Amino acid sequence: LFEYKEIPRPPFLPFVFSFAAKLEQVPPKDTLSDPNLLFKVQRNAQRLFRYDGVCVIFNTSLEAEACGCSVVWEKGMPKVLTHPLNEGLNVDEIQSIPIEKRGYVPTAFEAANRLKMVMGKDVALLAVITGPLTFASHLKGPSFITHAKKHSEEFTELMEEANRLLIKLCRKYCELGMDVIVIVEHMLGRLGAEGSNFISPFLQTLSNVAKYYNAVSYTHL
């Protein structure tokens, strides 16, 4: 599939995270603190349903929380509550955030590494990163859409800094041997065609990083 060759059937690549945790009767949030538990729930879910690819973790607040956003868990998934750029953080300070070492990001990396060692020869491994628009909106908060539609200098700078952090994550996942980088961009639909044109270079940069490591990128709206 990834080489665009003919295959006997379409592969089954579901984005499973909270459901896998429920199968093990543990809250999804608990898996974020224990890479072994995260690995276990994803491995066991795949063994049960025999799908063709394992998504390490599906959580679009992962990067935001690592950058200082507070979240609340509702119905098994997190919701971003606070936004650092509204609470004293300057845009130019974003680049200095060691995102790969903060929050639950290290858990995701370690679980990805274990999945690669144990299952990497049998199934595709999918790493999920939050799209640059969605990530930037978590950092900025409700006023993000207004800034985005104006294409202000501050908005452009915010997008550039947010994307730099995402490139770090993308590169790390690729170094761990992930086959697919899934970019989850929920905010794109709220900006229309103009937003698509603006975001394309940022998505292309992430795609180029994945391609360099022989991985495939896919944007999920």
Side-chain angles (χ1 to χ4, degrees):
L1 172 72
F2 301 148
E3 295 176 353
Y4 303 101
K5 295 179 179 180
E6 185 175 348
I7 53 178
R9 64 172 178 82
F12 181 33
L13 304 172
F15 298 143
V16 176
F17 170 51
S18 59
F19 177 67
K22 289 179 181 179
L23 290 175
E24 296 293 318
Q25 299 183 3
V26 297
K29 183 179 179 181
D30 289 0
T31 67
L32 298 181
S33 301
D34 185 345
N36 189 56
L37 180 59
L38 178 56
F39 159 76
K40 177 183 176 182
V41 300
Q42 295 293 43
R43 179 199 60 189
N44 289 352
Q46 191 280 331
R47 286 178 173 177
L48 178 63
F49 293 103
R50 308 303 301 175
Y51 39 78
D52 300 303
V54 175
C55 174
V56 177
I57 184 172
F58 196 100
N59 178 358
T60 56
S61 74
L62 194 73
E63 298 88 351
E65 194 164 8
C67 290
C69 298
S70 61
V71 304
V72 61
W73 284 73
E74 298 177 343
K75 298 181 179 179
M77 291 301 290
K79 178 182 178 181
V80 175
L81 290 182
T82 63
H83 315 283
L85 291 177
N86 288 344
E87 299 174 355
L89 183 72
N90 295 320
V91 172
D92 58 2
E93 294 178 299
I94 294 175
Q95 60 181 302
S96 63
I97 297 175
I99 190 172
E100 69 278 9
K101 299 178 181 179
R102 294 179 58 174
Y104 300 117
V105 174
T107 301
F109 286 160
E110 180 58 28
N113 186 48
R114 297 185 187 191
L115 287 167
K116 179 64 178 180
M117 290 190 295
V118 176
M119 307 179 70
K121 293 182 179 180
D122 303 313
V123 299
L125 297 177
L126 292 72
V128 172
I129 62 176
T130 304
L133 273 174
T134 303
F135 179 34
S137 72
H138 289 160
L139 296 175
K140 183 63 179 175
S143 64
F144 175 77
I145 289 295
T146 301
H147 284 272
K149 290 182 177 179
K150 290 180 179 179
H151 286 275
S152 65
E153 182 178 345
E154 180 185 359
F155 169 71
T156 302
E157 184 182 1
L158 170 57
M159 288 295 300
E160 291 173 348
E161 298 299 342
N163 209 51
R164 287 191 181 97
L165 294 186
L166 297 177
I167 289 171
K168 286 184 181 181
L169 300 186
C170 182
R171 183 180 295 115
K172 179 62 177 180
Y173 275 126
C174 289
E175 290 173 349
L176 290 170
M178 300 296 100
D179 300 295
V180 184
I181 303 297
V182 181
I183 306 166
V184 181
E185 190 54 277
H186 293 322
M187 289 293 296
L188 187 56
R190 299 182 63 180
L191 297 178
E194 185 178 356
S196 297
N197 293 332
F198 178 82
I199 195 64
S200 290
F202 297 100
L203 296 177
Q204 187 61 52
T205 300
L206 293 170
S207 178
N208 290 343
V209 172
K211 186 177 181 180
Y212 176 81
Y213 288 92
N214 295 318
V216 177
S217 66
Y218 163 72
T219 302
H220 177 64
L221 304 181

